[in-house]
Amino acid sequence: MSRSQLAPGVEVVAVPGRGLAVRTADGEFLSARIGGSDQNALLARLSGTATGEPDAELDRLVRAFDRAGYLSEHARRREWPAGRRDVRLVGDPVLTGPLAAYLWAEGAKPRSVEPDAAADGHPAAVVWCVDGPVPEGLWETADRLPERGIAWLRCHREGWQAYVEPLAAAAGDVTSSHVRARRLAATPAHRELGAYWSGPRTSGAPIRLTAPAAGLLSALLADDLTRWATGVPDTGGLPARRRLRRVDLRTLTVTEHPVLPVPDVAPLPDSAR
């Protein structure tokens, strides 16, 4: 008899008078209908501790848990592929420092470089972190990295709000210029936002990222990059490559917003010029 075990985050609970329920990794409860099967025997199978004889009905139930993705085979950690380990980090050390630690732990080989050396040798990915607003044109060249087969990920801070932009891994993905255009289109204060980006700005006492805030931003970036590199599916309601995340650095609250590429504007026909 093969050993089976529930995936991390998945639990089964016996509900008085109602049988078994599955608590999924997302925190939802689902009823488990097991017919006349022995409840304790099924729980032993799902905990990986069963030692009894094979049972066809229990085998069927375990296969149902497997198909639903609730067994450990579906949650096994995937190794970072060797061809994607070269990750270049650009930007402010308050963010690239903890990010490097997370990426090393996951199996990547990150190293900090200057902007003009980010694409030297054709790395697998470039991550650029800015502890402040992004000056106009700073990321213009880097936005072309996905067209060269280099994944492109970035984050920046605007006051007490930080933005983790979607990873771009192929031509047609969302770039920083797309995000800026979408944000301008979505706010009635587009003139003010444009002026804020272009500066100058008058500020009071400087904002210093706390270790928890920097850790959260770095963890979000590391998770996105790890999922891309290892092929682990996205979680949540929005696809990672179409998702802009806004982080309130005072409360560490994360909100997600859909974002799409901005199509190129077609040139005017000669008759309209």
Side-chain angles (χ1 to χ4, degrees):
M1 179 180 61
S2 61
R3 290 290 182 94
S4 303
Q5 191 171 23
L6 291 170
V10 178
E11 298 171 286
V12 176
V13 58
V15 183
R18 298 184 64 87
L20 298 180
V22 178
R23 186 184 188 278
T24 71
D26 294 325
E28 298 179 356
F29 284 97
L30 305 174
S31 296
R33 299 178 180 177
I34 66 171
S37 298
D38 186 305
Q39 178 174 295
N40 291 330
L42 177 60
L43 293 177
R45 288 283 297 271
L46 296 176
S47 67
T49 60
T51 57
E53 294 297 321
D55 182 284
E57 182 60 18
L58 287 179
D59 289 344
R60 183 187 69 80
L61 291 170
V62 170
R63 287 196 298 271
F65 274 82
D66 184 41
R67 287 193 298 270
Y70 297 148
L71 297 189
S72 58
E73 287 80 3
H74 292 268
R76 186 179 298 139
R77 177 175 172 174
R78 301 184 190 181
E79 291 188 2
W80 199 298
R84 290 184 170 179
R85 288 178 182 159
D86 184 2
V87 178
R88 309 291 171 82
L89 306 182
V90 183
D92 293 299
V94 67
L95 290 165
T96 59
L99 175 57
Y102 284 131
L103 292 176
W104 274 108
E106 293 297 330
K109 294 183 177 179
R111 59 190 177 101
S112 295
V113 298
E114 294 300 317
D116 57 0
D120 289 354
H122 204 278
V126 172
V127 189
W128 198 326
C129 303
V130 179
D131 184 21
V134 178
E136 189 72 33
L138 179 67
W139 286 344
E140 183 176 357
T141 300
D143 271 350
R144 308 301 297 270
L145 291 173
E147 300 174 13
R148 301 167 54 188
I150 300 173
W152 165 225
L153 186 58
R154 58 226 168 260
C155 78
H156 71 280
R157 179 181 61 79
E158 297 176 7
W160 284 114
Q161 292 73 45
Y163 293 87
V164 178
E165 300 194 4
L167 182 142
D173 279 349
V174 176
T175 65
S176 69
S177 62
H178 296 157
V179 172
R180 290 170 83 93
R182 294 294 186 184
R183 287 186 60 194
L184 287 172
T187 176
H190 56 90
R191 293 181 182 85
E192 290 81 357
L193 182 58
Y196 175 78
W197 285 339
S198 60
R201 298 173 296 272
T202 300
S203 304
I207 292 175
R208 289 184 171 84
L209 280 178
T210 64
L216 173 59
L217 293 172
S218 300
L220 294 174
L221 292 166
D223 184 67
D224 281 353
L225 198 61
T226 301
R227 289 179 183 278
W228 164 77
T230 61
V232 172
D234 297 333
T235 59
L238 296 172
R241 286 158 75 170
R242 296 292 186 267
R243 174 187 64 200
L244 173 67
R245 284 181 289 197
R246 180 179 183 271
V247 182
D248 188 316
L249 299 173
R250 297 163 298 185
T251 62
L252 301 187
T253 302
V254 182
T255 55
E256 297 185 351
H257 307 272
V259 60
L260 296 173
V262 177
D264 292 334
V265 177
L268 288 173
D270 292 338
S271 60
R273 292 178 181 173

